[in-house]
Structure formats: structure tokens, C-alpha cells
Amino acid sequence: MHDDHAGGSSHGDHDHRNRHLASSPEIRVEALEDVLVERGIADRGRIDAIIERFEHDISPMIGARLVAQAWLDPGLRQQLLTDADAVLAGMDIRGAEIEHIEVKANEPGVHNVVVCTLCSCYPWALLGLPPNWYKSPEYRARVVREPRAVLAEMGLELDPGTEVRVWDSSSETRFLVLPERPAGTEGWPVERLADLVTRDSMIGVARAADPGSE
């Protein structure tokens, strides 16, 4: 963990300079997709639709529903903060990149944000595909050194007295932020609350959506 006074990542500079070489996974996947489309084996529009659905509809809603349930159930909230792995196992929530999860709760005076300074370790099965900015060298380096500035640039202004805690994901541990429940949602059911929980709020670069914007 790094607080908002941290000077940098404890992991140092991880070398990703080869990611744009022909042998990099990104380039190889793009090349394979191009070949499949050219040969009529795959449809690019359908591929994009599947990725969009996975990124925005399927996995992020798993995390969003979990957050909404924790908002309604103080016992579940405490269990998530104490042993998230046991909670996920009990709910039969499984999938990529969630072998060990720690949940960090935002509360008045404390705001958590997640980064992976090494590469892009991220709980895919809870949040879907990682956004491009999460994988960018700029975010990975700057959010550790100057989290308030980065969050402000992303549209999240924090009170000066709020403590910012930066959590550095790794292959051993990935983090999920439990955002604060918005005011004015008393009596709402899980499904309606889950609609307020965005992927970015579970990374910590945004708050849960304003219920007045529904």
C-alpha cells in the first residue's frame, strides 16, 4: 500500500518496452484477428460486441452486485473486508485473476484507489476487462506519486482532509474497492443499487453513480 505521500512504487520499473514488438501478445492477437476476418471465419463486429458485453455487462455486474449486497448487509461487508476469498467461494464466484482478493472500503475521510505498478494485475472475473488507462505507464507511475492529481484529472475531486490509500495489485493479491453507498438510496433493492456501482468506482477512480442521475 502507498499513501498519498508515497514517493513511488516498491516494485520498481517493470520492463514492458517489448509489448509493441511483433512477438508481443497484443500484436499477435490483432494479427490473428485480422487473418480470421479476412478469411471470413470471424466477423469483427461480432468480436467487438462480445468484448463490449464482457467488459460492460457480464463481469462488472458481478462485482457491482457484490458491492450492493455489502451495502445492504453489514455482516457481509465485514466478511468481505476480513476474508473476501471465503465470501467469493461461498457464493461460487470464480474466474480469472481472483485467486486472492482483498476488499478495501471507502468511508468518510478515507479513499482507496487501486493500481498495478508492475503491469496490469486486475480482478477480471469481478470487473471485466481492464480499461486501457489502467494499463498505461502514466497511470501506473503517477497514481502512486500524486494520486490526488490523477484522480482530479479523471474527474474525482477529494476533500483536502481525505486520506488517499493506494493499493498495488500483484499476481498474488488483487484489490477491489468497496465504494461508499450514495445518499438517497434508502430502501432500494440490490438490483437497483448495483446499477449505481461502476467499474471505475470499484477501482477507486470514481464514486458510485449519483442516484439522481438515474
Side-chain angles (χ1 to χ4, degrees), residues 2-136:
H2 306 274
D3 62 22
D4 53 350
H5 301 295
S9 167
S10 60
H11 288 301
D13 183 23
H14 193 63
D15 186 3
H16 285 273
R17 289 169 294 180
N18 295 327
R19 63 179 180 162
H20 296 302
L21 298 178
S23 60
S24 72
E26 292 88 351
I27 298 300
R28 294 171 67 182
V29 168
E30 290 176 6
L32 177 59
E33 180 180 328
D34 289 340
V35 170
L36 293 175
V37 170
E38 289 173 4
R39 296 184 178 179
I41 299 173
D43 177 81
R44 196 179 303 278
R46 187 174 181 185
I47 293 173
D48 291 344
I50 291 172
I51 293 174
E52 180 78 9
R53 183 164 180 259
F54 185 87
E55 182 174 6
H56 296 290
D57 298 332
I58 300 177
S59 292
M61 285 308 300
I62 295 175
R65 184 176 176 83
L66 185 65
V67 168
Q69 289 173 305
W71 284 346
L72 292 174
D73 184 344
L76 175 62
R77 181 183 187 277
Q78 186 56 47
Q79 288 175 349
L80 279 172
L81 298 179
T82 303
D83 190 350
D85 294 340
V87 174
L88 297 182
M91 293 183 171
D92 199 29
I93 298 176
R94 308 179 187 280
E97 310 293 335
I98 60 169
E99 290 80 8
H100 177 55
I101 295 290
E102 292 188 16
V103 175
K104 305 299 178 181
N106 287 344
E107 54 191 28
V110 176
H111 185 87
N112 298 280
V113 62
V114 179
V115 66
C116 177
T117 56
L118 279 175
C119 47
S120 56
C121 296
Y122 179 88
W124 287 51
L126 294 173
L127 300 186
L129 301 176
N132 288 333
W133 55 260
Y134 183 85
K135 299 179 286 184
S136 70

Side-chain angles (χ1 to χ4, degrees), residues 122-210:
Y122 179 88
W124 287 51
L126 294 173
L127 300 186
L129 301 176
N132 288 333
W133 55 260
Y134 183 85
K135 299 179 286 184
S136 70
E138 182 182 14
Y139 175 79
R140 288 167 23 218
R142 288 187 60 216
V143 78
V144 174
R145 298 196 309 265
E146 46 181 355
R148 291 176 187 276
V150 172
L151 294 176
E153 290 169 13
M154 299 181 78
L156 178 58
E157 296 280 355
L158 298 174
D159 293 335
T162 298
E163 177 188 357
V164 181
R165 298 175 180 173
V166 181
W167 299 93
D168 193 351
S169 292
S170 68
S171 58
E172 289 79 28
T173 303
R174 292 168 179 83
F175 297 96
L176 176 76
V177 173
L178 179 62
E180 290 186 83
R181 179 176 176 174
T185 59
E186 294 77 11
W188 284 28
V190 166
E191 291 75 14
R192 192 177 179 192
L193 287 172
D195 286 339
L196 300 178
V197 185
T198 65
R199 175 201 64 195
D200 287 2
S201 72
M202 292 183 283
I203 299 173
V205 297
R207 296 184 177 90
D210 180 355

